[in-house]
Amino acid sequence: MKRSSILSLWILYLCACAGFVNAISFEKFLVKTGHHTGNFLQLAQSLVPKNFAAFVLVLSVVCFFFLGSFLGGLIFPDDEQRLRTFYSAVPFCFAGLSLALHCVPLPEPIQLYALCVMLGVQNSVPIRFNGAKVRTTHMTGNVTDSAFFLGKAARGDRFAAAKSLYYFSLFIAFFAGSVAGVIAPSDTSYLIMAASYSVAGLVAKIFL
């Protein structure tokens, strides 16, 4: 199988992992770690009735996602050699963090913030596929891109239909991961997360 085909499937798999993490965070803590458009709505909903505890919690989630994105930009700039390092090293780091969350009885806010940093790092690193940057946790953008390229295909662009289908497959993968996160047993969810990211790391190490 060509490297481009493996990379395509690997990106889909990362989207599924992100969907799983996002679902787990909501199932455990009632906060989405990867959906910050919705979190800003929650900020407003908690501020108006002066529910400051909820406001601080959601604001912290956004800030820790921001921190993860900052770390991604700091450690992995848009450079092909460093991106190859990301492909193999970072999923193993995520797996180790997930295993630590399973083994160490940390307070719930710390668990939540760790998941935010994970998804922030994952989303910030610009994975390139066919010359385009692909974000693996930001599904609003993928829905937009899928519809955009479908519109171009309707105007006669013969390459746009394939791009539309690929972006569509990204949010289907995220949805599948979300379903898995919803049905996963709560007491083993971090173990499943660790195993999932370990697979991502192994595939990247061997094939990418």
Side-chain angles (χ1 to χ4, degrees):
M1 187 180 291
K2 293 182 179 179
R3 179 181 180 275
S4 60
S5 299
I6 296 173
L7 179 60
S8 172
L9 293 173
W10 186 78
I11 292 170
L12 289 171
Y13 182 77
L14 277 187
C15 282
C17 289
F20 186 88
V21 175
N22 195 54
I24 288 300
S25 65
F26 188 75
E27 290 293 306
K28 287 180 176 292
F29 314 115
L30 298 179
V31 180
K32 302 180 185 71
T33 50
H35 181 59
H36 296 292
T37 303
N39 283 337
F40 278 107
L41 172 60
Q42 280 192 275
L43 282 174
Q45 289 175 326
S46 57
L47 182 62
V48 172
K50 298 182 180 180
N51 186 350
F52 295 119
F55 180 85
V56 170
L57 176 64
V58 178
L59 181 61
S60 299
V61 165
V62 175
C63 289
F64 276 95
F65 185 92
F66 184 92
L67 173 62
S69 301
F70 169 80
L71 293 174
L74 181 68
I75 302 170
F76 300 102
D78 196 357
D79 174 84
E80 183 61 27
Q81 183 177 356
R82 292 196 176 214
L83 289 179
R84 287 176 182 271
T85 303
F86 163 77
Y87 294 162
S88 58
V90 173
F92 284 125
C93 292
F94 290 172
L97 179 58
S98 301
L99 187 60
L101 290 175
H102 175 77
C103 296
V104 181
L106 296 171
E108 288 191 355
I110 302 301
Q111 297 178 43
L112 177 61
Y113 299 153
L115 297 179
C116 291
V117 171
M118 277 177 54
L119 286 193
V121 171
Q122 180 174 324
N123 198 53
S124 68
V125 179
I127 303 172
R128 290 191 173 275
F129 182 71
N130 287 343
K133 291 182 179 180
V134 180
R135 305 290 182 180
T136 54
T137 78
H138 183 57
M139 293 303 110
T140 302
N142 288 332
V143 172
T144 301
D145 289 336
S146 179
F148 174 79
F149 285 114
L150 185 61
K152 292 187 69 173
R155 290 175 58 88
D157 186 331
R158 60 195 180 98
F159 298 109
K163 292 181 179 179
S164 175
L165 181 61
Y166 185 68
Y167 280 107
F168 180 80
S169 66
L170 291 174
F171 59 80
I172 292 300
F174 187 91
F175 175 74
S178 300
V179 172
V182 170
I183 65 177
S186 179
D187 58 339
T188 59
S189 57
Y190 289 140
L191 283 178
I192 297 171
M193 199 182 304
S196 299
Y197 277 112
S198 294
V199 170
L202 283 173
V203 170
K205 190 71 174 177
I206 296 171
F207 299 106
L208 301 178

